Every structure is written in C-alpha cells, then in structure tokens.
Amino acid sequence: MGKQLDKTYDPAAIEGRLYQKWLDNKYFHAKVDKSKKPFSIVMPPPNITGKLHMGHALDNTMQDILVRFKRMQGYETLWVPGTDHASISTEVKVTNALKEKGIDKHEIGREEFLKHVWAWKKEYGGMITSQLKKIGSSCDWDRERFTMDEGCSKAVRQVFVNLYNKGLIYQGNRIINWCPVCHTSLSDAEVEYEEQEGHFWYINYPIVGEEGRYVMIATTRPETLLGDTALAVNPDDERYRDLVGKMVHLPLTDRDIPIIADSYVDREFGTGVVKITPAHDPNDFEVGRRHNLEQINILNDDATMNDLCGKYAGMDRYAAREAMVEDLKKQGLLVKVETIRHNVGVHDRCHTTVEPMVKKQWFVKMNDLIRPAADAVRNGEIRLIPDSMKSTYFNWTDNIRDWCISRQLWWGHRIPAYTCDECGALTVSAEPLTKCPKCGSTHITQDPDTLDTWFSSALWPFSTLGWPDKTPELEYFYPTSVLVTGYDIIFFWVIRMIFSGYENMGQAPFKSVLFHGLVRDSKGRKMSKSLGNGIDPLEVIDKYGADALRASLISNTTPGNDMRFYYSRVEACRNFANKVWNASRFVMMNDPDNAVKAGDKRPVHFTDADKWILSRTNRIVREVTDNLENFDLGIAYDKLAGFIRDVFCDWYIEMVKPRLYQTNDAQDRRTALWTTKNVLITLLKLLHPFMPFITEEIFCTVQDAEESIMISSWPLYDETLSFPQEEEDVGRVMEAVRGIRNARTQMNVAPSRKAKVYVVSENPAVRQAFEKSGQFFATLAFASEVAVQADKTGIDDSAVSVVIRDGEIDMPFADLVDIRLEIERLKKEEARLTGEVMRSQKMLSNEKFLAKAPAAKVEEEKSKQKNYQDMLAATKQRLADLQK
RNA sequence: GGGCGUAUAGCUCAGCCGGGAGAGCGUCUGGGUCACAACCAGAAGGUCGUGGGUUCGAGCCCCGCUGCGCCCACCA
C-alpha cells in the first residue's frame, strides 16, 4: 500500500515540514557551476524596522515563482536574501523606543546609541526574513546579507572613494530640506507634501528715503523675514520698474535691503514682489546666488530662532511667527491676513514640517552617471515590465539633480572622509585612517555624517556577490537576471542601482525589472498602521495556507498595477488547492499500490479521451512556459488553474471514471491510469512555482517517493503528444454533452434519472466522433445508453442535435422545451450566425486580409465559415419545422 | 503647472500580434453524486466611460472630452 492523502487539504500540517525538508537537502543553495546557466535574483532587502506585510508577500511570491521555475528548468539559481539597515527609519524607531524608557539619544551619545541600535537589529532584524520562509521563499539563506555587514560596508566605502577620486562626489553649501525633529537633511524624495491651512501675511516694507512709501509683499512664513536680504520684482513689471535698485528697510531689524529684478518672480502671483530669503527657501537660494546676496541663517537645528534674531532668539519658529506678526501689527506694517490652503513639505517618516536650510552636504554629481542608465533602458539593454514604466523612468533621468548623500544621522555608513585637525587636509579613504597622509598628524576627525540609506542599497546587486573583491560568485551570477520590486521605489532605488551597476561593474545590474503595484485593502485604500487596515500575511497563511495566499496575490493581476486584497479571493484559491488535492486523491485511490508510474513506458492504445487530454496538457505546458518566460505570472497562473479545474478535473476525470471503476479491461485500465497520472504529474510541476507546498506533498505521496518536485525537471512541449484530430473530436462530444445538460436543466430532468440518449446527425464526422469517443459520453450526459444514428427520427438534424428518451416516453429534445422559448432562442441564434457568416464572408473576400494574414489564420477562418454556414442552415431548418 | 496610469458583468479585475466579450466572487435554478459540499451541473447579467478618426474589421491603434488614481514640481 502506498501513502494516503487525507480527505481535505490541511496546509498547516505540511508546510513547516516541507520547508524544513528543502532546507535540510540544501535545495535553495546555489553553487558556481559553469556547466549550468546561471539565474540570479537579489531580493529587495526589507527594512529591519518592519515585519512582513502584504507588499513583501507579493514581492517575494513573484520572485519565488521565477526562481522555482528556472530551477526546474535546470538553471543554477541563486536568490540572495537580506535586510536593509534603513538608516533614518531605524534611527527614528530606536530613538522613540529609548525615549519611552526615559533614555535620551543625545545624552547617551553616539557610541552608546549605536550599541542600542545593534542590539535592536539583533533582536528584530531577522524577523522579516524568517517570516519570508513561511510563504515558501526558496532563497539561499547561506548567503543572507545585511547592508551594514562587513562586506557591504567595504563596498560602500570603496564606491565613495572611487566616485570622489573621479570628482563625482563633492561637498557644497546647498539649500537642503532639514527635519528639525530628526536633525538631519532629507533628500527631495524623502519630503512629502501635505495640503494644510495657512495664511498669507501682507507686509509693508518702508522704502528708504521716501517717507510714507511702502512696498507690500505677501508671505506664508513671516518669521523668515529676519533672513531677508532683498526684495525682488519681475524686470518686466511696469508697476515696480522705478523701484529696482532702491533700498527698503527690513521691518523689526536695523537692516536695509535692496530691491532687485529677477525673472523668477511671477507678476500675477501675490503682490508681484517677493521677499528673498536665500538661506531658507530653495528658489530664493538660487536668486541669491544669481545676485550675490548674503545668506543669513536665522534658525537653529531644532527650528528655534538663533542668536541673530534679537528678541526672538530661542523662540520656536511658530512662536516667533506669532510674536513677529503681533509686532508688525503694532508698527502698522501688517496690511492684511488671508487664509489659504497650500502645500507644505513634511518629512515622510515623522511628518514634521521641513525647514529649508543652507548646510554643507555631500553630493553626487549626476549628469554623467545617469547617461548610461538612461541609455540602457532606451536601447533595451534593460527591460522594464510593464513597458509604460519607461516613461516614468525617463521623466526622472531627464530631470536629474545632484544627489545629496549625507545625512546627519548616527545609524548608517559613516562617510569615509577625514579632516586633519592640524593641517586641515581632507582625505577620503576606504580604509580607516589613523593619521593625516599629508602632515602625518594623528589628530584627525572623521566626518560625523552618515550616508543616505539608498547609497548602500544602490550597490546591492554586486556588493552581495562580494564586490569589490573579484569573487567567483560575482563573475558567475552578475549581472543578475531580474529585479522584482514595487514601482514606488523606482527613483529611490532602481535607477540608482542601474547607474551604480554601470559605474562600478561596467554592466547593468539586471536584465529585466518586473514591477508590481501596491496591495491595497478591499476598499482600495493603502494598507497602513494609522488606518489599522493592514492584513497580516501570517494570519492569512495560518488560516488558508501559504499556497492560497500566494495564488491569491498572483491571480488576475498584471504587472505594475495596484491590486486589492480580498479574503474571498484567498478562499477561492484555497478551494482550488483542495481541488488539486482531491483530484490527486482520486488518482491514488484507483492505484493504491502505485502499480502504474508516471515514468512508465507509454501505452499503445490510447482512447480519444486520452489523446485529447494529453494533447491539451501538452499545449498548456507550452503556454504556461511562454507566459512565465515573459513574466506574465498572472496569466500563467489563471490559465493553468483554469485548465486544471475545468479541463482536467471537470471533464477528463469524469470521462475516465468508468474505465477505472470497471476492471474488465485491464489493459485499458492501465492506459487510463497512465494517462491520468502523467497528466497529473505534469500539471503539478507546472503548478509548483505558484503553489510549492501542496504540489510537493502530492508529488511525493502519489509517487510514493521522497524526491522533491523542486528539483524535478520542468515539462517540455512534446511533438509526439500533439493530437489535433482527437482534440477536435472530443471537443464535439463535449459540445453535445453541454447541450444535453442544458436541456435537462431546462426540462427539470434530474441527473439521477438515467435516460437513453440518441445522438442524431447527418454529419458523418459528428457520428464518427461519437462512435469513436462516445464511451464516456453516457456518463457525462447522465445517460444509461447512447445511440448514434444518421436518420432523423422525426426531429431536427443539426450538428449537435440529440434526442433524449426518458423513461417510457420518447421525448424529442425540441418537444421538451417550451416551443415559444425555443423559437426565441433559435431566432437569436439565427441572427448571431447570420452575422458570423457575413463577417466571415467579408473577411474571406477581402484581398488585403488574404494577402496579409498568415495562412493558418485564413484556413481557420475558412473552416469557421463552413461551420457557421452549416449551423445556420440547421438552425433555419429547425425554426421552420417548429414554426409549422 | 508637468508627467504617467486607468475607465470592461452587481463587486474586484484579466483580456497577448486589431479578427469569436473572459475569470473569481456574488445572484438565480437543479442536484446527498462512488476525488472533492472547501462539491457538481446549468443559467441570468456587459452600448467595453464618452465623442470623433484610421481600418474590410477596434475593448485593443490615433485625436478630443469627462471621471478616478498616482508620481514629479512647489507660487513667495
């Protein structure tokens, strides 16, 4: 006796055991094997701050599907897992955690703080990756990496040095986005804009030397007035032309500032006069540079007013705003206040309103670096899926700005730049420096800043493979095959990996990028903690199994589009898994001793049904393979699942039942079993990338073997298994069976009441099909007996016409249905068929079509037309008969 | 303001190279059936957002309009 399967599929009972088995056998482990072709993926490293959410589940399911598919195809597959130190989110998180314990980050100092972060990393850093195992990810855990491990850090330092030496990294005073709470600069990408209510304060600036004359400006941030170094008007603005070059007195201060002309000013907006605050506004900064204006920084790092602010010094920016407005009012310089809604930049992590400030920062010069990255996508060297992502990509590469890479954080890669305390020399070094190379002094200070977290992730595809060392892995697996990631980090990450790949490796980091969308809740909202609408993938797995979750994330989806998460969809997939389970159980029950094996020699005498299912399966092999090669995961799954359910289970298993239950023809029974088993095994293999657990369990149980489906070979299209004639014949029989089933439902004849069924047709091909393939017809049509005949026994004779004899009474098909309904139906049918014939006629008489369409298409259309004509004639005849 | 996407059944979405409108869920009808009630058989339900154009032929290609979503910019 072979092993048995339980009656319903219980994922919880097998998933853990199977994953352990795969681990124990080292199936996920990749080696450098030059006799095989490599296929490699690096996992987008999840942040160490988080736990598994639906986005990760989707991302990793897609990767796992590709990896498992390629592994079965015989590639040496490597999937590198890992995590990201996520400098700013982690720092915020740990800072808050410490705060709750009453510990202040600044009090304990940098070194002590970092100890806490490392401890935190140790505790939570591996959480996600261990959770990823639950969904079946077949990553090479021996090669798990962390963006701040020794190897990645070395790569970071090396890249920094290389870029610096090429002059592509520079330090500069630039206006940057400053987060007053996190005390760090932010890249543009880290700033979000929120619409908030604000005010427009209209303020009069007195003109120097012209008593009683004022220039009115409008501002949303009156406190920045203290940093004003000019007013600006448009050079073409008639209203203010005479003012250009004059001075105004800056209220609340003892300074006078000039009025300048700059085309940046929009005449239509506000009063047409802009106060210029170069130190606290990016546009003003640019204007200031053009006009050589002084930059006056009026803020401390925590957004309180600094010592330059006189009586306002020490006040918070908002408190100062109120106080200053009050003072302006007293002096009669405040003209009016308007309430407006405007966009305010906030830090995407902590939602603090950012403050533009001038700071010395490190930048990467982008102009030259971006070019190969843009070209690679433009000339197809790197393929973006879906295609439409190209536009988004170019939108960014065409408008590239230098990348501010320094962050005033503690957690992250410290910038490898050192300043000599004695001679002041700046040295950049990949190895820790202990003395100044210029003067030999040992008093040197490393730059306190750390690098933008994306600086290290940008190197991920090669730093994980050992770069800057020339490892065999790097040589063999780079460039990686495909990157699977969400479209939301195309700018943060994808582009930066691409230019980093070209810059440091001279090659693209991957050949294709497969984008997916966001997983939203059932109402289409983003899943978020604040809304509390997130769904924990682990809960779904506990309840429905990993396979069902995976399938539900893949089914009916398309690359790059957002999707909604529905429990009903998971349930449908769970039910499908159970279906597969039971189909397999059926096979096992009919061969408890496993006497017929899938690999056995092919039988000689196939029935039409066998040839039909083998041929159809053969086709699905090709289609699913093609879809997977083309990254159409959703289409591949839907097609395959549909085939398994609707074709294999619903039709073939029903057809084959009599042959398995009646044991009088041992030879035929064996053939039936062989076919069923082979088809089942093939389908299981195709399904394995999508549903790894259940397919593994069945694969082993059905064959009573330990060998894993994971390392079995992917099915190939087999020319000798193509039976177009039988596909057509059996297709006809199925058509007829459907007709009968339909009729019976309409007639209210219970399937349990077996009937004698006559198949009547003048069409020899149809008769032949039924004679040849009719053995399973009776079962499918719930008939006790089937007769095939040419002459009409008093009724119609279309291609699918049938007569059902039920019990004592002869009940011709047509008579059983309400005649009026039937006439209506036939009229509709007639109209449809007439249309089809005309359409077909038009096509076939069209010279362009005949000339341009492929020959197969024309042939197909011809046979279609013939079919339609026959059916139309039959329908007309039947209508005429009935209407009598 | 600039860019991108999207509009298909009651709901959520597929629909490849332009040639017969699809799936899942839901609804309705029938069925204790010997793999599966987490089931089976059947049915109903669509002007493919709208107006034009190209084509023998458009859900698909082109143009206009409308609705929705996202990204970038950030007018002080």
Side-chain angles (χ1 to χ4, degrees):
Chain A
M1 277 294 273
K3 289 196 273 179
Q4 288 299 320
L5 295 172
D6 295 333
K7 190 165 172 177
T8 45
Y9 173 54
D10 177 17
I14 64 166
E15 288 180 355
R17 168 169 54 83
L18 292 180
Y19 198 86
Q20 194 56 48
K21 166 185 160 186
W22 295 332
L23 283 178
D24 291 346
N25 286 294
K26 295 210 167 289
Y27 291 144
F28 304 159
H29 186 67
K31 294 183 288 280
V32 174
D33 179 352
K34 296 211 170 143
S35 68
K36 288 160 95 181
K37 277 198 248 169
F39 179 89
S40 54
I41 294 184
V42 290
M43 173 189 296
N47 292 349
I48 54 169
T49 47
K51 60 175 194 170
L52 191 75
H53 61 64
M54 277 302 164
H56 296 123
L58 171 64
D59 195 54
N60 284 279
T61 296
M62 290 172 76
Q63 293 174 69
D64 197 43
I65 289 169
L66 294 172
V67 165
R68 286 180 185 269
F69 165 57
K70 286 292 167 181
R71 193 181 284 121
M72 288 171 76
Q73 275 191 327
Y75 287 80
E76 185 64 27
T77 50
L78 169 64
W79 183 11
V80 182
T83 45
D84 195 303
H85 67 284
S87 67
I88 196 157
S89 0
T90 308
E91 183 148 335
V92 168
K93 210 148 192 167
V94 175
T95 305
N96 290 341
L98 289 176
K99 208 181 277 170
E100 274 173 34
K101 284 194 254 173
I103 303 173
D104 181 79
K105 163 179 147 182
H106 295 284
E107 268 170 33
I108 59 174
R110 183 171 191 144
E111 233 167 276
E112 199 57 32
F113 177 76
L114 287 180
K115 278 186 198 159
H116 280 107
V117 188
W118 278 107
W120 198 87
K121 190 261 165 187
K122 203 174 169 193
E123 190 170 352
Y124 301 107
M127 201 161 84
I128 281 200
T129 41
S130 73
Q131 288 172 331
L132 284 175
K133 296 178 180 174
K134 296 262 185 204
I135 67 167
S137 308
S138 60
C139 334
D140 187 350
W141 296 107
D142 300 340
R143 297 182 193 273
E144 184 173 354
R145 297 299 297 270
F146 175 53
T147 49
M148 266 175 66
D149 64 24
E150 189 37 47
C152 289
S153 301
K154 187 173 162 191
V156 163
R157 294 192 300 267
Q158 192 60 53
V159 168
F160 189 96
V161 169
N162 290 354
L163 290 175
Y164 181 81
N165 288 341
K166 283 178 80 174
L168 294 174
I169 281 184
Y170 65 92
Q171 255 183 316
N173 268 322
R174 292 274 290 265
I175 192 132
I176 46 89
N177 308 295
W178 182 264
C179 175
V181 168
C182 303
H183 282 229
T184 185
S185 61
L186 304 171
S187 69
D188 290 338
E190 287 165 320
V191 177
E192 280 175 2
Y193 288 86
E194 280 178 7
E195 199 181 79
Q196 291 181 1
E197 188 162 285
H199 301 280
F200 245 150
W201 281 277
Y202 288 82
I203 301 168
N204 270 341
Y205 285 37
I207 298 177
V208 173
E210 296 187 30
E211 192 71 22
R213 200 174 163 205
Y214 300 95
V215 182
M216 185 168 67
I217 58 97
T219 180
T220 53
R221 296 187 300 158
E223 71 280 9
T224 62
L225 175 153
L226 297 175
D228 287 1
T229 48
L231 294 188
V233 297
N234 190 291
D236 299 329
D237 196 331
E238 305 290 342
R239 293 173 295 174
Y240 302 115
R241 184 159 288 172
D242 68 307
L243 289 177
V244 176
K246 293 194 170 154
M247 301 293 280
V248 291
H249 179 69
L250 186 61
L252 309 178
T253 69
D254 51 11
R255 286 195 289 128
D256 291 340
I257 55 173
I259 297 175
I260 57 168
D262 195 286
S263 55
Y264 149 73
V265 180
D266 180 353
R267 278 180 286 178
E268 310 301 321
F269 194 87
T271 63
V273 188
V274 187
K275 62 194 263 314
I276 301 296
T277 322
H280 295 288
D281 181 282
N283 291 309
D284 294 4
F285 180 80
E286 292 302 323
V287 174
R289 290 225 294 198
R290 280 198 288 274
H291 297 269
N292 269 324
L293 297 174
E294 193 189 348
Q295 297 161 1
I296 302 178
N297 184 1
I298 58 163
L299 289 172
N300 294 315
D301 285 354
D302 58 359
T304 56
M305 310 306 285
N306 68 15
D307 295 345
L308 296 178
C309 300
K311 64 182 275 204
Y312 309 106
M315 294 173 86
D316 178 75
R317 53 181 161 168
Y318 299 118
R321 177 180 297 176
E322 276 181 38
M324 287 170 63
V325 168
E326 204 47 50
D327 290 345
L328 287 167
K329 207 187 273 173
K330 278 183 200 150
Q331 295 184 19
L333 295 174
L334 183 71
V335 182
K336 59 175 174 174
V337 184
E338 273 175 12
T339 301
I340 53 157
R341 293 200 71 80
H342 63 151
N343 283 334
V344 176
V346 299
H347 182 198
D348 64 351
R349 297 286 164 196
C350 70
H351 288 268
T352 309
T353 300
V354 300
E355 200 60 54
M357 289 210 213
V358 175
K359 293 260 173 188
K360 197 172 196 187
Q361 301 288 345
W362 291 91
F363 292 88
V364 176
K365 218 180 264 180
M366 290 308 305
N367 272 338
D368 294 338
L369 282 174
I370 204 68
R371 210 167 301 131
D375 290 347
V377 171
R378 202 161 270 130
N379 66 26
E381 207 172 304
I382 295 176
R383 184 184 163 202
L384 303 188
I385 304 150
D387 229 28
S388 56
M389 283 298 159
K390 278 191 200 168
S391 322
T392 314
Y393 183 89
F394 294 136
N395 193 28
W396 179 269
T397 56
D398 293 346
N399 298 298
I400 194 77
R401 289 161 60 168
D402 284 356
W403 176 18
C404 173
I405 50 169
S406 45
R407 296 289 183 276
Q408 289 64 50
L409 296 167
W410 289 345
W411 175 243
H413 298 95
R414 194 150 169 189
I415 290 175
Y418 305 81
T419 312
C420 177
D421 297 336
E422 282 174 28
C423 73
L426 179 75
T427 312
V428 163
S429 163
E431 296 310 319
L433 217 59
T434 49
K435 61 176 186 182
C436 174
K438 202 170 172 194
C439 70
S441 162
T442 52
H443 296 284
I444 52 170
T445 313
Q446 184 172 5
D447 192 305
D449 290 356
T450 50
L451 288 165
D452 180 10
T453 197
W454 298 101
F455 194 92
S456 57
S457 5
L459 321 179
W460 194 239
F462 48 88
S463 65
T464 51
L465 293 173
W467 191 91
D469 297 334
K470 284 187 178 153
T471 61
E473 283 82 1
L474 189 62
E475 191 201 338
Y476 182 64
F477 288 115
Y478 191 94
T480 65
S481 309
V482 57
L483 171 78
V484 179
T485 192
Y487 64 76
D488 51 332
I489 52 175
I490 180 167
F491 304 133
F492 283 111
W493 193 42
V494 179
I495 287 181
R496 287 168 182 168
M497 270 194 288
I498 295 177
F499 72 69
S500 300
Y502 279 102
E503 173 64 16
N504 297 290
M505 295 292 297
Q507 268 188 92
F510 26 72
K511 298 179 191 99
S512 309
V513 186
L514 176 55
F515 287 103
H516 60 250
L518 262 47
V519 185
R520 298 170 174 279
D521 75 357
S522 61
K523 292 186 182 121
R525 301 172 303 183
K526 253 187 193 173
M527 289 190 185
S528 75
K529 254 180 230 142
S530 50
L531 278 174
N533 61 344
I535 293 168
D536 183 356
L538 296 177
E539 270 176 38
V540 179
I541 290 173
D542 282 346
K543 196 162 171 209
Y544 296 97
D547 292 332
L549 173 64
R550 292 166 63 113
S552 74
L553 291 170
I554 295 304
S555 169
N556 215 240
T557 61
T558 195
N561 280 4
D562 289 354
M563 58 176 297
R564 299 186 190 194
F565 183 87
Y566 274 90
Y567 271 106
S568 64
R569 195 188 288 280
V570 184
E571 200 167 312
C573 293
R574 190 269 317 258
N575 293 354
F576 170 68
N578 194 49
K579 184 99 194 156
V580 175
W581 184 261
N582 274 293
S584 311
R585 210 161 65 89
F586 167 82
V587 175
M588 289 183 61
M589 288 168 75
N590 283 289
D591 186 21
D593 302 322
N594 195 26
V596 178
K597 295 185 179 59
D600 286 354
K601 193 163 169 277
R602 192 183 289 186
V604 189
H605 300 291
F606 286 120
T607 64
D608 284 6
D610 297 333
K611 289 185 178 171
W612 167 77
I613 193 67
L614 289 166
S615 192
R616 294 286 306 265
T617 305
N618 199 28
R619 263 170 44 202
I620 212 77
V621 164
R622 180 154 65 187
E623 288 172 21
V624 169
T625 308
D626 287 351
N627 289 146
L628 284 175
E629 297 280 13
N630 207 28
F631 302 110
D632 285 324
L633 310 188
I635 293 176
Y637 174 79
D638 288 334
K639 204 180 275 176
L640 177 61
F643 181 85
I644 292 174
R645 192 177 27 236
D646 301 340
V647 180
F648 181 61
C649 293
D650 292 352
W651 285 100
Y652 185 72
I653 287 188
E654 294 308 320
M655 288 173 186
V656 87
K657 272 178 183 172
R659 296 162 68 197
L660 294 179
Y661 291 153
Q662 296 151 19
T663 49
N664 47 1
D665 185 346
Q667 193 66 36
D668 181 61
R669 187 173 190 283
R670 203 182 160 74
T671 303
L673 211 49
W674 185 94
T675 308
T676 315
K677 255 193 187 174
N678 273 280
V679 170
L680 176 69
I681 295 294
T682 301
L683 295 175
L684 284 174
K685 286 181 176 183
L686 296 180
L687 190 60
H688 179 256
F690 304 95
M691 297 187 144
F693 292 107
I694 190 171
T695 48
E696 172 79 325
E697 181 69 3
I698 296 172
F699 187 80
C700 294
T701 315
V702 166
Q703 305 195 110
D704 199 10
E706 276 305 311
E707 198 202 274
S708 172
I709 192 172
M710 261 194 73
I711 52 163
S712 69
S713 57
W714 187 256
L716 298 173
Y717 182 80
D718 183 348
E719 204 52 62
T720 66
L721 284 179
S722 175
F723 304 107
Q725 183 59 46
E726 281 75 8
E727 278 195 41
E728 207 175 298
D729 287 349
V730 174
R732 276 206 190 91
V733 172
M734 286 165 63
E735 219 26 71
V737 168
R738 267 196 210 101
I740 293 178
R741 285 174 176 174
N742 187 357
R744 297 188 74 120
T745 304
Q746 288 187 35
M747 284 181 283
N748 253 336
V749 180
S752 51
R753 288 168 68 197
K754 301 267 184 200
K756 182 170 179 179
V757 174
Y758 289 95
V759 177
V760 181
S761 176
E762 283 178 346
N763 185 341
V766 174
R767 287 205 308 280
Q768 207 191 344
F770 276 93
E771 270 158 15
K772 260 174 81 188
S773 316
Q775 54 176 303
F776 48 83
F777 180 87
T779 331
L780 297 175
F782 308 112
S784 58
E785 198 183 324
V786 179
V788 183
Q789 54 189 62
D791 52 309
K792 24 179 176 172
T793 48
I795 47 149
D796 56 330
D797 58 351
S798 76
V800 293
S801 66
V802 287
V803 185
I804 301 166
R805 169 180 291 223
D806 187 21
E808 323 274 83
I809 318 152
D810 279 355
M811 290 198 287
F813 174 75
D815 292 347
L816 287 172
V817 186
D818 186 302
I819 294 225
R820 280 163 308 180
L821 283 178
E822 182 63 4
I823 287 177
E824 218 169 274
R825 194 187 68 81
L826 286 172
K827 276 185 174 165
K828 262 195 203 164
E829 183 73 0
E830 188 191 16
R832 186 182 77 86
L833 289 169
T834 309
E836 292 290 0
V837 168
M838 277 169 62
R839 181 186 62 78
S840 208
Q841 191 61 45
K842 224 169 156 187
M843 269 173 81
L844 287 171
S845 58
N846 180 287
E847 280 169 28
K848 282 189 198 163
F849 171 71
L850 292 174
K852 277 156 79 179
K857 197 120 209 169
V858 177
E859 281 312 307
E860 192 189 323
E861 198 52 45
K862 276 183 186 166
S863 83
K864 262 192 199 171
Q865 189 192 29
K866 173 123 183 37
N867 232 337
Y868 288 135
Q869 280 169 345
D870 291 350
M871 282 161 71
L872 181 61
T875 306
K876 279 189 167 160
Q877 180 62 46
R878 230 150 88 187
L879 248 182
D881 288 351
L882 280 179
Q883 276 168 336
K884 259 188 268 174

